[in-house]
Amino acid sequence: MLQPRHPSLPRKATLALPFTLLAATLVLAGCDIPGIGPDPRIAQREAEAKAIGGACRHALRGLEDCFTLNPKAPKALVFAGWKDMDSYMREHKLEGAPSVLTQLQPPAKAKPARSDDDSRSERGSGSSS
Protein backbone atom coordinates (compact mmCIF):
# COMPACT_ATOMS: atom_id res chain seq x y z
CA MET A 1 0.00 0.00 0.00
CA LEU A 2 1.29 3.35 -0.93
CA GLN A 3 0.79 6.27 1.33
CA PRO A 4 -1.26 9.06 -0.10
CA ARG A 5 0.96 11.87 -1.15
CA HIS A 6 0.36 15.48 -0.55
CA PRO A 7 -1.39 16.89 -3.59
CA SER A 8 0.88 19.92 -3.84
CA LEU A 9 4.16 17.91 -3.87
CA PRO A 10 5.25 15.87 -6.85
CA ARG A 11 6.00 12.16 -6.29
CA LYS A 12 9.79 12.61 -6.55
CA ALA A 13 9.75 15.28 -3.81
CA THR A 14 7.95 12.99 -1.37
CA LEU A 15 10.55 10.26 -1.92
CA ALA A 16 13.50 12.65 -1.75
CA LEU A 17 12.45 14.29 1.52
CA PRO A 18 13.32 11.35 3.86
CA PHE A 19 16.63 10.77 2.08
CA THR A 20 17.50 14.45 2.34
CA LEU A 21 16.75 14.48 6.06
CA LEU A 22 18.83 11.34 6.57
CA ALA A 23 21.77 12.81 4.64
CA ALA A 24 21.58 16.10 6.58
CA THR A 25 21.54 14.19 9.87
CA LEU A 26 24.61 12.17 8.91
CA VAL A 27 26.51 15.26 7.77
CA LEU A 28 25.72 17.22 10.92
CA ALA A 29 26.62 14.27 13.16
CA GLY A 30 30.28 14.65 12.17
CA CYS A 31 30.42 18.39 12.85
CA ASP A 32 31.78 20.04 15.95
CA ILE A 33 29.32 22.73 16.83
CA PRO A 34 30.88 25.35 19.12
CA GLY A 35 29.34 25.59 22.55
CA ILE A 36 28.00 22.06 22.67
CA GLY A 37 31.07 20.23 23.99
CA PRO A 38 32.76 20.66 27.36
CA ASP A 39 34.71 23.82 28.03
CA PRO A 40 38.43 23.14 27.43
CA ARG A 41 39.38 25.47 30.30
CA ILE A 42 37.56 23.23 32.77
CA ALA A 43 39.31 20.13 31.45
CA GLN A 44 42.66 21.93 31.69
CA ARG A 45 42.01 23.02 35.29
CA GLU A 46 41.07 19.46 36.25
CA ALA A 47 44.22 18.07 34.65
CA GLU A 48 46.37 20.66 36.44
CA ALA A 49 44.79 19.82 39.80
CA LYS A 50 45.55 16.12 39.28
CA ALA A 51 49.11 16.98 38.27
CA ILE A 52 49.51 19.06 41.43
CA GLY A 53 48.39 16.11 43.54
CA GLY A 54 50.79 13.75 41.75
CA ALA A 55 53.66 16.19 42.15
CA CYS A 56 52.92 16.57 45.85
CA ARG A 57 53.02 12.80 46.35
CA HIS A 58 56.27 12.50 44.42
CA ALA A 59 57.76 15.32 46.52
CA LEU A 60 56.82 13.40 49.70
CA ARG A 61 54.34 16.07 50.78
CA GLY A 62 51.25 15.27 52.76
CA LEU A 63 47.82 16.10 51.43
CA GLU A 64 47.29 18.86 53.98
CA ASP A 65 50.50 20.57 52.87
CA CYS A 66 49.47 20.22 49.26
CA PHE A 67 46.05 21.75 49.95
CA THR A 68 47.68 24.62 51.85
CA LEU A 69 50.20 25.35 49.10
CA ASN A 70 47.52 25.22 46.36
CA PRO A 71 44.33 26.74 47.78
CA LYS A 72 42.70 27.39 44.40
CA ALA A 73 43.01 23.80 43.15
CA PRO A 74 39.92 21.60 43.67
CA LYS A 75 40.69 19.35 46.63
CA ALA A 76 38.96 16.28 45.24
CA LEU A 77 41.02 16.39 42.06
CA VAL A 78 44.25 17.05 43.96
CA PHE A 79 43.49 14.02 46.09
CA ALA A 80 42.75 11.92 42.99
CA GLY A 81 46.11 12.88 41.49
CA TRP A 82 47.88 12.20 44.78
CA LYS A 83 46.23 8.79 45.08
CA ASP A 84 47.02 7.85 41.46
CA MET A 85 50.67 8.77 41.94
CA ASP A 86 50.78 6.87 45.23
CA SER A 87 49.52 3.67 43.61
CA TYR A 88 51.91 4.14 40.68
CA MET A 89 54.88 4.64 42.98
CA ARG A 90 53.96 1.61 45.10
CA GLU A 91 53.43 -0.55 42.02
CA HIS A 92 56.81 0.37 40.52
CA LYS A 93 58.59 0.56 43.90
CA LEU A 94 59.69 4.15 43.39
CA GLU A 95 61.00 6.39 46.12
CA GLY A 96 59.86 9.97 46.28
CA ALA A 97 62.18 12.91 45.81
CA PRO A 98 62.06 15.37 48.71
CA SER A 99 61.04 18.85 47.71
CA VAL A 100 63.96 21.23 47.51
CA LEU A 101 61.86 24.38 47.76
CA THR A 102 60.55 23.64 51.23
CA GLN A 103 64.03 22.86 52.56
CA LEU A 104 65.72 26.01 51.33
CA GLN A 105 66.40 28.57 53.99
CA PRO A 106 67.40 32.14 53.30
CA PRO A 107 71.16 32.61 53.52
CA ALA A 108 72.29 34.03 56.85
CA LYS A 109 73.48 37.59 56.58
CA ALA A 110 77.03 38.09 57.68
CA LYS A 111 77.10 40.24 60.80
CA PRO A 112 79.94 42.71 61.09
CA ALA A 113 82.62 41.57 63.49
CA ARG A 114 82.58 43.47 66.75
CA SER A 115 85.69 44.87 68.18
CA ASP A 116 86.57 44.39 71.82
CA ASP A 117 85.88 48.07 72.48
CA ASP A 118 82.27 47.76 71.20
CA SER A 119 81.52 44.73 73.33
CA ARG A 120 82.99 46.40 76.47
CA SER A 121 80.96 49.56 75.98
CA GLU A 122 77.73 47.53 75.56
CA ARG A 123 78.44 45.58 78.73
CA GLY A 124 79.20 48.74 80.62
CA SER A 125 76.09 50.59 79.50
CA GLY A 126 73.83 47.62 80.24
CA SER A 127 74.99 47.24 83.84
CA SER A 128 74.50 50.89 84.81
CA SER A 129 70.74 50.80 84.37
Side-chain angles (χ1 to χ4, degrees), residues 21-102:
L21 291 176
L22 178 65
T25 304
L26 291 175
V27 168
L28 289 176
C31 294
D32 289 334
I33 300 173
I36 291 181
D39 189 9
R41 291 176 289 180
I42 293 173
Q44 180 183 4
R45 191 173 67 180
E46 290 175 355
E48 285 178 3
K50 283 187 172 184
I52 288 170
C56 284
R57 173 59 183 101
H58 189 263
L60 301 175
R61 284 195 185 117
L63 278 172
E64 294 80 14
D65 295 339
C66 195
F67 294 153
T68 303
L69 292 171
N70 304 288
K72 291 184 181 181
K75 291 182 180 180
L77 295 172
V78 170
F79 174 70
W82 194 94
K83 189 171 78 171
D84 290 345
M85 180 58 87
D86 183 58
S87 64
Y88 178 82
M89 289 174 69
R90 288 177 190 267
E91 181 181 327
H92 296 309
K93 298 179 181 173
L94 298 174
E95 294 295 322
S99 176
V100 177
L101 294 177
T102 57

